[in-house]
Amino acid sequence: MSGNQGMERLIPLVNKLQDAFAQLGFDSPVDLPQITVVGGQSAGKSSVLENFVGRDFLPRGSGIVTRRPLVLQLVNNKMEYGEFLHCRGRKFTDFNEIRKEIEDETDRATGQNKGISPVPINLRVYSPHVLNLTLVDLPGMTKVPVGDQPADIEKQIRDMIMQFVTKENALILAVSPANSDLANSDALKIAKEVDPQGLRTIGVITKLDLMDEGTDARDILENKLLPLRRGYVGVVNRSQKDIEGRKDIRAALDSEKKFFLGHPSYMHMADRMGTAFLQKVLNQQLTNHIRDTLPVLRSKLQQQFLALEKEVAEFKNYSSDDPQRKTKALLTMIQQFEKDFTKDIEGSTSDSLELSGGAKVNRIFHERFPFELVKLEVDEKELRREITYAIRNIHGVRTGLFTPDMAFEGVTKRQIERLKSPSIKCIDMVITEISNSINKISEMMARFPRLRDEVERLVLEHVRNQEVKAKDAAVFQIDYQLAYINTNHPDFIGSANAQVKSVASTTKKRVSNQVIRKGWLTLTSVGFMKGMSKDYWFVLSAETLAWYKDEQEQDQKYLLNLEGCKLKDLDSGFMGRKANAFAIFNPDKRNVYKEHKTLDLCASSAEELDSWKASFLRAGVYPERSQEEDPTSGQTATAEIGSLDPQLERQVETIRNLVDSYMSIIKKIVQDSMPKICMHLVVNNTISFIGSDLLSGLYALTATSGGLDTLMEESKEEELRREQMVRMYHACKEALGVIADITNKTVHTPDPPPIPEDEMNNYTYNPPTRPDKRPSAPSRPSIPSRPENTSRILEPSRPAPSIPSRPPPSPKSVPAVPRKPQGRPAIPSRPQ
């Protein structure tokens, strides 16, 4: 198209960019319009598409033939073939096979008895004879169901069509046959409904060669009857006889051209009729659309170009056999790995929505590990029974007058011994998070699979070695505490104060009812309202748990006193329970919430569940014991011990308070020292190993297993990615160069003026009947000449319509019809 050379260069680049972006997983930078072909059955829609392609490839027949939308992508290419989306990789060079595949794919989805389906068939046709367009062939509108079609077939087809034509980037080809009443055209009706301004609608009149003798569609094509803002284009498709006779489409296009040039009613507008002109109109619409999106496209391309420029700079002179480049890449990878791992542990200003490795380790230290320690709380009755046994066993046959120190030490050491298990578990949780961080960060070495595997192996092997040392240190720490019971510790209450209440009780009183945590929890169905669950805003304090409708904390639903309450986990899936569920209950079987004995809650994730459990521990709500007490054990113990005398009861109470006081000291020590052991022996030591010893370990490996070439061997995926990045870089650069000088070289056709409402509504269909011998062309008002600019889109041209029963005017009294560059020609006043 003359004047649009720059745009013709840009369209293939846009297609190349779309392919490059799609291969790399990015969104397409520009959205090309779809051209939807709408019309009734047998209106000639499919023939119009075949004329665009220049090939006979669509199913033919009577009645409803197109039963699924066909999304047809035309791509200008040197070779000619077709590809289906559902048959990726298979090239169809025989267009008869394309027709058969369309029929087979239609039958697979709709059956063989005229059923329809809204699922589109995607076909891409590569040909040197096509323009880069996307067209959609839609089923023809029908009124009466046939075969196994449903009763609401008309509504189904209409809904299917509306899915495509309502898109703002959809250009509507309203196809109507010339031998039917245009006022009853379903295509024009739908087009006016979705495009009332007429900016996206072009009328296409088919079957001009099949009109009754003595009639024509001149007034329609001249945009006088039911005018459209973008006017009408007439086309002549092949007849059924031509199709059965295998008439070539290119020969049919020549016949179409001869038809318009030889017909007395259409010869004066032959340059604005036919398939070739319709293609130019559509291509101009594509040009206008891309031109309108150039500013946004330029901005996106510049951003992508700058992002690619730095990375592609390393690829320009890349050589896979260059040892210096491989050595440099190895050093860069290891330095970046150390930097990323340190940042993941020490913290950074990353905007990620996922917790870093260091943040997860911190939660282990301050939420999960304290929770494991609290889970070791023994039952009060069990502890007193143990103390009673210890006192009586020490006294033997004698009646003790004083509280025995050995009973205190024996019970205390057994309690300290139990701290080994949560300490080991704390180290296991830290090792798991460190290993996950290493595996995640090593993905940046995916370019070199062997290097990534060896780095992971060396670092994880070092971590496992440090794990053994950390566990030994944790066990040694407990053994240190077992070696000597320091009753002179400044925080130990001593025997003089052993009769007072436990330190934990007095501490809780000093805390008062301060707020510990706020957040959303789900009040679930089990134990609450069967079959219902709802989210509430919960406020946990040292003594109470309240929940509200929302964060404003104005509409309080309930206030629960936590004194004496316990916490237990709930099995997910049982009676519709969700995952991460837990319950608050009273060990004395009393109701917790109104008439309910449990308050069932659910957290949004496992991490939230652990965090809420740790918060409940601070409020004094401890988990229930994992092993339930044997109901007969208490009776057996009572029978063995017998009734306690007052002196023994005083001794048990004294030792019980001493054990509680000393264990609180030991737990503080363990809770403080375990994070230090983990950080020193695992986390910090691993960071030091990566920074100082990892590189030497890799070099030692290259000396024994194939050298640097084997270690730095690049993956096939990386080679492909590098080629794609370079290809997209050059495509972006070339596209930006074309865009830079395209604005002034591209012809842009402004939108035609809207059609007045009175002309749109004032229409009565009267098929024009004309004599066989029409007056010669000079006797009609002359048609204003058009500039020979084939890039112009079709504009309405409406000379003054003839007035019936006009008296014969004298030659001197007929004024000339004035011409206007735009709008409709004015009708001159007539002499009376």
Side-chain angles (χ1 to χ4, degrees), residues 656-695:
R656 191 260 174 271
N657 288 335
L658 290 173
V659 170
D660 188 71
S661 174
Y662 196 80
M663 285 304 299
S664 66
I665 296 172
I666 299 302
K667 287 183 178 179
K668 288 180 181 178
I669 294 173
V670 173
Q671 190 171 342
D672 177 69
S673 60
M674 281 306 303
K676 297 175 181 178
I677 291 174
C678 293
M679 287 299 299
H680 175 66
L681 293 177
V682 178
V683 180
N684 293 341
N685 195 278
T686 301
I687 294 176
S688 176
F689 171 80
I690 294 174
S692 58
D693 299 331
L694 177 59
L695 193 60

Side-chain angles (χ1 to χ4, degrees), residues 490-545:
D491 294 335
F492 186 59
I493 61 173
S495 60
N497 299 320
Q499 299 299 324
V500 300
K501 293 183 178 181
S502 64
V503 176
S505 300
T506 58
T507 302
K508 187 172 180 181
K509 286 184 179 180
R510 291 196 301 269
V511 170
S512 73
N513 198 28
Q514 63 181 2
V515 175
I516 296 176
R517 182 185 176 91
K518 297 181 179 182
W520 288 98
L521 286 173
T522 302
L523 205 56
T524 57
S525 58
V526 180
F528 176 57
M529 294 178 63
K530 215 160 192 178
M532 296 290 292
S533 63
K534 192 172 183 180
D535 294 338
Y536 290 101
W537 179 259
F538 282 77
V539 178
L540 174 65
S541 62
E543 297 178 356
T544 61
L545 176 67

Side-chain angles (χ1 to χ4, degrees), residues 33-207:
Q34 286 186 339
I35 301 166
T36 57
V37 185
V38 182
Q41 287 187 19
S42 303
K45 305 182 303 301
S46 298
S47 296
V48 172
L49 294 181
E50 286 185 336
N51 289 344
F52 287 163
V53 178
R55 288 283 188 169
D56 189 1
F57 68 97
L58 293 176
R60 293 285 181 177
S62 59
I64 180 169
V65 177
T66 305
R67 294 182 285 134
R68 290 179 60 182
L70 175 65
V71 179
L72 177 63
Q73 295 178 323
L74 304 181
V75 182
N76 188 272
N77 190 54
K78 292 182 179 179
M79 298 181 62
E80 189 173 31
Y81 61 92
E83 283 185 344
F84 286 95
L85 185 63
H86 63 272
C87 299
R88 285 186 178 276
R90 181 182 174 187
K91 295 182 179 181
F92 292 80
T93 55
D94 186 349
F95 281 78
N96 291 323
E97 292 184 5
I98 292 180
R99 180 193 301 108
K100 185 176 185 304
E101 182 62 30
I102 294 175
E103 293 174 346
D104 294 343
E105 182 65 17
T106 300
D107 291 340
R108 281 192 285 266
T110 64
Q112 299 182 358
N113 199 12
K114 304 301 182 181
I116 68 169
S117 171
V119 180
I121 299 174
N122 290 271
L123 170 63
R124 179 175 291 186
V125 174
Y126 298 83
S127 173
H129 309 296
V130 300
L131 299 173
N132 297 286
L133 300 173
T134 299
L135 306 107
V136 182
D137 187 17
L138 296 171
M141 287 169 282
T142 184
K143 304 290 184 181
V144 180
V146 295
D148 60 355
Q149 292 178 348
D152 61 341
I153 184 68
E154 181 181 4
K155 181 178 183 302
Q156 288 190 23
I157 294 179
R158 177 181 172 83
D159 293 342
M160 185 191 309
I161 293 173
M162 296 298 285
Q163 291 179 9
F164 290 89
V165 299
T166 52
K167 298 178 181 178
E168 290 299 324
N169 66 333
L171 187 66
I172 304 171
L173 288 190
V175 180
S176 303
N179 55 358
S180 65
D181 188 356
L182 195 65
N184 296 327
S185 172
D186 292 326
L188 291 178
K189 182 179 179 182
I190 287 182
K192 187 175 181 181
E193 180 179 340
V194 300
D195 181 32
Q197 300 298 322
L199 294 174
R200 301 188 286 119
T201 304
I202 293 180
V204 178
I205 305 300
T206 61
K207 302 187 178 182

Side-chain angles (χ1 to χ4, degrees), residues 33 114 301 374 404 409 443 519 575 650:
K114 304 301 182 181
L301 289 177
V374 174
E409 286 198 12
E443 289 299 321
M575 292 183 67
R650 286 194 299 272

Side-chain angles (χ1 to χ4, degrees), residues 685-725:
N685 195 278
T686 301
I687 294 176
S688 176
F689 171 80
I690 294 174
S692 58
D693 299 331
L694 177 59
L695 193 60
S696 60
L698 291 172
Y699 275 123
L701 183 66
T702 59
T704 58
S705 59
L708 188 63
D709 292 340
T710 302
L711 183 65
M712 299 300 293
E713 184 178 358
E714 197 174 44
S715 65
K716 298 297 182 182
E717 293 78 7
E718 178 60 23
E719 293 181 6
L720 180 62
R721 190 187 75 90
R722 185 175 65 251
E723 293 175 0
Q724 291 174 346
M725 296 288 282

Side-chain angles (χ1 to χ4, degrees), residues 569-786:
D569 293 326
L570 297 177
D571 296 332
S572 61
F574 177 70
M575 292 183 67
R577 288 195 185 114
K578 299 180 180 179
N580 308 316
F582 64 100
I584 298 173
F585 69 101
N586 196 301
D588 298 333
K589 308 297 183 182
R590 291 186 285 108
N591 292 339
V592 175
Y593 169 68
K594 296 182 179 180
E595 70 276 10
H596 305 290
K597 295 188 180 298
T598 62
L599 181 68
D600 295 358
L601 303 172
C602 179
S604 59
S605 64
E607 293 181 350
E608 282 293 310
L609 176 62
D610 292 337
S611 181
W612 272 103
K613 286 181 178 180
S615 299
F616 275 109
L617 292 181
R618 294 178 57 192
V621 180
Y622 300 116
E624 67 173 341
R625 297 183 61 198
S626 57
Q627 296 180 350
E628 294 296 334
E629 181 180 354
D630 186 357
T632 63
S633 63
Q635 300 174 1
T636 304
T638 304
E640 291 179 356
I641 296 174
S643 60
L644 298 181
D645 59 76
Q647 183 178 354
L648 182 59
E649 288 183 0
R650 286 194 299 272
Q651 292 176 353
V652 170
E653 183 67 23
T654 299
I655 293 179
R656 191 260 174 271
N657 288 335
L658 290 173
V659 170
D660 188 71
S661 174
Y662 196 80
M663 285 304 299
S664 66
I665 296 172
I666 299 302
K667 287 183 178 179
K668 288 180 181 178
I669 294 173
V670 173
Q671 190 171 342
D672 177 69
S673 60
M674 281 306 303
K676 297 175 181 178
I677 291 174
C678 293
M679 287 299 299
H680 175 66
L681 293 177
V682 178
V683 180
N684 293 341
N685 195 278
T686 301
I687 294 176
S688 176
F689 171 80
I690 294 174
S692 58
D693 299 331
L694 177 59
L695 193 60
S696 60
L698 291 172
Y699 275 123
L701 183 66
T702 59
T704 58
S705 59
L708 188 63
D709 292 340
T710 302
L711 183 65
M712 299 300 293
E713 184 178 358
E714 197 174 44
S715 65
K716 298 297 182 182
E717 293 78 7
E718 178 60 23
E719 293 181 6
L720 180 62
R721 190 187 75 90
R722 185 175 65 251
E723 293 175 0
Q724 291 174 346
M725 296 288 282
V726 172
R727 184 167 63 250
M728 192 166 72
Y729 170 81
H730 289 299
C732 287
K733 184 176 181 180
E734 187 177 357
L736 286 172
V738 174
I739 292 174
D741 60 353
I742 199 174
T743 304
N744 295 327
K745 294 183 178 180
T746 303
V747 175
H748 182 270
T749 304
D751 294 331
I755 303 298
E757 194 67 25
D758 56 345
E759 291 195 20
M760 292 291 294
N761 298 327
N762 187 16
Y763 167 66
T764 302
Y765 178 68
N766 293 310
T769 302
R770 302 180 183 275
D772 292 341
K773 295 182 179 181
R774 304 183 60 86
S776 59
S779 64
R780 297 180 56 85
S782 60
I783 304 300
S785 60
R786 293 181 175 272

